[in-house]
Amino acid sequence: MTIAAEVAARTGAALIPVVARRNVAARRFDVTFEPPVATGEPQAMMAEVNARIGAWIEAEPGQWLWFHRRWKRRRDGLSDGAG
């Protein structure tokens, strides 16, 4: 889906990825606003958003829970990168 990038491009709004991480010790969530995604083709903008989400997950996989098969497995058991 590219709707977020399309709306940002159409309205001139910034597309800003935001992540919230559980902070168990403080019993709260810490929210981080990332730098805006560079304006361009919607597909490229969303690819950048997905790359950032992937980096967040790789950095702290315990923070994430998916209710669907975000990463499908190939027959050989490796991730195909599809989401």
Side-chain angles (χ1 to χ4, degrees):
M1 278 193 173
T2 59
I3 191 67
E6 291 172 24
V7 170
R10 190 176 313 139
T11 63
L15 179 56
I16 302 172
V18 179
V19 62
R21 293 179 182 91
R22 289 182 308 277
N23 182 333
V24 177
R27 297 176 46 182
R28 66 174 189 214
F29 285 87
D30 295 327
V31 179
T32 303
F33 292 81
E34 292 225 340
V37 172
T39 303
E41 291 296 318
Q43 294 276 355
M45 292 174 71
M46 293 312 298
E48 175 62 25
V49 170
N50 281 315
R52 294 190 196 187
I53 293 170
W56 299 336
I57 294 167
E58 287 180 7
E60 298 180 85
Q63 289 282 332
W64 298 87
L65 172 67
W66 295 97
F67 291 103
H68 61 91
R69 290 185 59 199
R70 174 84 173 155
W71 293 275
K72 296 170 181 61
R73 296 283 172 186
R74 300 185 318 206
R75 290 178 194 247
D76 60 11
L78 300 174
S79 175
D80 66 4

